[in-house]
């Protein structure tokens, strides 16, 4: 079973609030000093799903693709250290500042170039922008089904059976292969890379493809050709006010509190 | 400046997650119990390759470079207790290096391989009631009887001692005194005549079991000896370098985390109209400690580079061990002090860290032994 996993490198979500900065004029997040970027936390779950499916199928290949700067190679290496077989880094100056639709276009081109695939897995969303639309975009461009937010995936009779996470329960659906499936944290703990696998990963090669390799032209790339225009980017200001309720008894305090909450339409 | 590779950083995350998921949630329970389930935890560590980082893959090791050991130590040092990291590093870098380097193939198959799989727990048994820093004074005797050694004596302050499946034991094998006539012997603890005399109560590192062991006519095959007869002291002295370095790496990880946690607390803790961290005295004290820790880290990295290059690192390892033993006490004391009354409470990490930190200046060669070695390496003898 040949599976392609798309992974993304993002700023560490554990970055302390005191180190997190936004350049409002440039509409960009300023990378925190001394805090290296990490693999999007949902992506190791997609890799884990791919490895389990490959193991269940008794063979196949797991190819990892990441679009990003040279440092995104580390996100690929993480997946290789978990046990994935091959890595491809999509790296081009034209990818700087692109939106999720442009990303989906580039990923779809790369997947077509890889050629043989039964399944494409991604994390349910990237924890930086948290939009979760790239899986649908890629599936639409490839003309194949997309099943989002999976907690369980199995291959049954040449199809994929996916249990999806809903707000109030679960839903099990089937789709023909090939398909795109986005994997949620409910899938379960991804394996830690073992030292032996890490050492092996060091020997695996990561190919680098640029925009020309994917057949993408300049008018499809760059910040200027975004479909989604970013109007403003800022850290919301949270103001907290404290009001101490003075009264003679706890009952009286509770009564005043209840009146205030009702006045503010909170209860 | 050392540049860790992407693979090194992936390994760092693996160890950090192991500490956060497999050690920290149980640290309080194990501290209260005065022990931890070594066989259970070591198997989990072994699965990730943490027990045999640099050892020969032929025996289940990782065959990795020494920087992975540096990372292992630094990340284990970030655990919520000092005892478990100590127990793990006894297994990886104190009780097994001599076996891996000078043990016979059969001996390594029988003991090193299961130790790296976490199926066997190992202890290093050198110290005796009358011989600690003065290793040359040990009295435990292994008398040759045909193809066997018959061992008599006692060992004390032995980490993993109540749970160990085998000891890497230093004993006299001939009556010459001093440094000569000693051998390193693997002693399985299921032999008749071996017993745990008592589990020892300590100031700190409560999660790690420490024992006094007694050997009465314990018979082991002569083939359990590591290296040549009479070479034990020299082999142990070389093994000590590994022990000292891993202790230093672990201490560095612990100190860095202690400073991070203290800074986070002082940023939130308001007193005298602002966060305590805004006080210049506090800022300067912490900045100075950070300089000290970073200096030690660079010294340790210089020693690590020496290990990678295959050099004798006695001088740098000894300096680093001495510096770490002193510095960790200062860091633990300062962190506790800056937490005020809360820092003295048992519920705060500072209290445990303060207790645990006291050992490094004693175990693995006391500060004074390090100074004694340095007197020689620095040519200070009159």
């Amino acid at each position: 079973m040949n599976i392609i996993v798309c992974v993304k490198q993002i700023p560490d979500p554990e970055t302390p609030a005191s180190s997190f900065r936004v350049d409002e004029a440039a509409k960009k997040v300023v990378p925190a000093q001394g805090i290296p970027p990490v693999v999007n936390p949902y992506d190791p779950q997609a890799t884990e799903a791919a490895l389990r499916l490959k193991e269940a199928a008794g063979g196949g290949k797991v190819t990892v693709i990441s679009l990003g700067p040279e440092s995104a190679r580390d996100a690929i290496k993480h997946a290789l250290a978990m046990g994935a077989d091959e890595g491809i880094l999509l790296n081009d100056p034209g990818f700087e500042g692109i939106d999720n639709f442009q990303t989906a276009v580039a990923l779809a081109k790369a997947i077509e170039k890889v050629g043989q695939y039964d399944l494409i897995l991604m994390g349910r969303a990237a924890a930086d922008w948290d939009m979760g639309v790239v899986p649908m975009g890629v599936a639409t461009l490839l003309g194949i089904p997309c099943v989002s937010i999976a907690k369980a995936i199995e291959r049954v009779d040449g199809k994929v059976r996916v249990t999806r996470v809903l707000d109030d329960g679960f839903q099990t659906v089937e789709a023909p292969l090939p398909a795109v499936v986005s994997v949620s944290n409910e899938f379960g703990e991804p394996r830690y890379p073992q030292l032996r696998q890490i050492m092996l990963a060091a020997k695996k090669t990561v190919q680098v493809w640029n925009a020309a390799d994917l057949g993408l032209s300049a008018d499809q790339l760059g910040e200027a050709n975004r479909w989604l225009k970013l109007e403003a980017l800022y850290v919301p200001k949270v103001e907290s006010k404290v009001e101490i309720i003075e009264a003679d008894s706890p009952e009286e305090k509770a009564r005043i509190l209840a009146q205030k909450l009702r006045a503010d339409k909170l209860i | 400046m050392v540049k860790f590779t992407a693979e090194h950083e992936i390994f760092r995350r693996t160890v950090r997650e192991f500490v956060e998921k497999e050690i920290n949630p149980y640290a309080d329970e194990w501290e209260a119990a005065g022990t931890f389930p070594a066989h259970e935890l070591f198997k989990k560590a072994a699965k990730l390759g943490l027990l045999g980082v640099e050892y020969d893959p032929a025996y289940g090791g990782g065959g990795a470079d020494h920087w992975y050991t540096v990372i292992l130590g630094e990340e284990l040092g970030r655990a919520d207790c000092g005892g478990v990291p100590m127990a793990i590093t006894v297994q990886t870098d104190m009780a097994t290096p001599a076996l891996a380097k000078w043990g016979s193939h059969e001996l390594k198959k029988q003991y090193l391989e299961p130790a790296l799989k976490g199926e066997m727990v190992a202890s290093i048994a050198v110290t005796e009631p009358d011989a600690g820093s003065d290793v040359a004074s040990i009295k435990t005797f292994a008398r040759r009887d045909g193809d066997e050694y018959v061992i008599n004596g006692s060992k004390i302050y032995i980490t993993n001692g109540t749970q160990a499946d085998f000891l890497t034991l230093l004993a006299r094998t001939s009556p010459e005194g001093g440094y000569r006539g000693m051998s390193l012997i693997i002693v399985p603890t299921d032999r008749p005549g071996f017993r745990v005399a008592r589990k020892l109560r300590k100031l700190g590192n409560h999660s790690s079991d420490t024992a006094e062991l007694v050997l009465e006519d314990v018979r082991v095959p002569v083939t359990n000896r590591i290296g040549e007869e009479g070479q034990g002291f020299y082999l142990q002295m070389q093994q000590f370098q590994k022990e000292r370095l891993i202790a230093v790496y672990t201490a560095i990880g612990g100190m860095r985390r202690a400073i991070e946690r203290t800074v986070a607390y002082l940023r939130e803790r308001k007193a005298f109209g602002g966060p305590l961290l805004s006080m210049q005295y506090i800022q300067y004290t912490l900045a100075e400690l950070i300089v000290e820790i970073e200096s030690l880290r660079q010294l340790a990295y210089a020693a690590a580079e020496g290990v990678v290059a295959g050099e004798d690192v006695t001088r740098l390892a000894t300096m680093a061990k001495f510096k770490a033993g002193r510095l960790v006490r200062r860091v633990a004391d300062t962190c506790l002090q800056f937490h005020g009354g809360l820092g003295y409470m048992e519920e705060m990490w500072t209290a445990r860290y303060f207790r645990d930190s006291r050992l490094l200046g004693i175990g693995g060669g006391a500060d004074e032994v390090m100074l004694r070695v340095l007197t020689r390496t620095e040519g200070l003898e009159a």
Side-chain angles (χ1 to χ4, degrees), chain B residues 1-179:
Chain B
M1 189 74 184
V2 175
K3 281 293 231 188
F4 290 109
T5 64
E7 285 77 20
H8 287 128
E9 293 304 335
I10 293 169
F11 183 65
R12 185 181 291 284
R13 291 219 166 237
T14 288
V15 185
R16 188 168 294 192
E17 286 193 22
F18 174 77
V19 166
E20 286 172 358
K21 289 180 181 161
E22 306 294 351
I23 299 178
N24 288 352
Y26 312 102
D28 290 350
E29 183 190 329
W30 294 341
E31 283 280 307
T35 188
F36 76 106
H39 288 86
E40 198 182 303
L41 186 70
F42 284 8
K43 280 194 193 83
K44 290 180 187 169
K47 215 175 142 210
L48 298 174
L50 308 190
L51 299 186
V53 171
E54 289 180 60
Y55 291 134
D56 187 347
Y59 302 98
D65 65 56
H66 187 67
W67 294 109
Y68 286 92
T69 298
V70 173
I71 291 166
L72 176 73
E74 287 184 347
E75 292 303 319
L76 287 176
R78 296 177 64 90
D80 284 348
C81 59
V84 176
M86 177 174 72
I88 293 172
T89 52
V90 162
Q91 177 97 350
T92 60
D93 284 80
M94 304 183 201
T96 49
L99 171 62
K101 194 161 183 190
W102 296 288
S104 68
H105 170 68
E106 292 72 23
L107 203 56
K108 285 192 273 194
K109 277 303 228 192
Q110 205 178 342
Y111 295 101
L112 183 64
E113 198 167 279
L116 302 190
K117 282 185 185 158
E119 291 165 359
M120 276 191 171
V121 173
S123 285
I124 175 74
V126 174
T127 301
E128 297 182 1
D130 293 321
S133 296
D134 184 12
V135 175
S137 299
I138 67 158
K139 293 196 181 75
T140 295
F141 201 92
R143 176 175 56 84
R144 183 91 180 239
D145 181 21
D147 292 338
E148 289 183 322
Y149 285 120
V150 183
I151 307 170
N152 281 283
S154 66
K155 295 286 176 183
I156 199 163
Y157 314 138
I158 306 305
T159 300
N160 297 343
T162 70
Q163 306 190 71
D165 298 291
F166 71 87
L167 317 173
T168 303
L169 176 112
L170 189 66
R172 295 208 164 275
T173 40
S174 66
E176 303 158 79
Y179 303 124

Side-chain angles (χ1 to χ4, degrees), chain A residues 12 18 36-38 74 77-78 81 189 192-196 198-199 201-202, chain B residues 6-7 10-11 13-14 17-18 21-22 47-49 53 62-64 68 267:
Chain A
D12 192 341
S18 56
V38 297
D74 294 352
K77 288 204 168 189
H78 185 270
E189 287 282 307
Y192 314 133
Q194 302 168 1
L195 179 62
R196 197 168 47 84
I198 295 170
M199 304 289 289
Chain B
E7 285 77 20
I10 293 169
F11 183 65
R13 291 219 166 237
T14 288
E17 286 193 22
F18 174 77
K21 289 180 181 161
E22 306 294 351
K47 215 175 142 210
L48 298 174
V53 171
Y68 286 92
R267 199 185 294 282

Side-chain angles (χ1 to χ4, degrees), chain B residues 191-257:
Chain B
R191 294 293 158 112
F194 171 85
R195 66 188 163 89
V196 177
R198 60 192 170 118
K199 185 175 159 203
L200 301 163
R201 295 179 64 206
K202 310 185 292 294
L203 168 68
N205 286 291
H206 291 156
S207 47
S208 159
D209 56 302
T210 310
E212 180 176 354
L213 310 175
V214 172
L215 299 103
E216 289 168 334
D217 290 332
V218 175
R219 288 182 170 267
V220 300
V222 170
T223 50
N224 274 26
R225 192 189 60 232
I226 297 169
E228 297 297 314
E229 192 165 273
Q231 292 295 306
F233 180 82
Y234 304 101
L235 302 187
Q236 182 52 35
M237 285 302 118
Q238 293 184 57
Q239 183 163 252
F240 267 144
Q241 303 311 322
K242 294 268 185 194
E243 172 167 347
R244 285 165 192 166
L245 283 174
I246 193 75
V248 170
Y249 305 148
T250 310
I252 290 167
M255 286 189 276
R256 283 163 61 98
R257 180 165 187 236

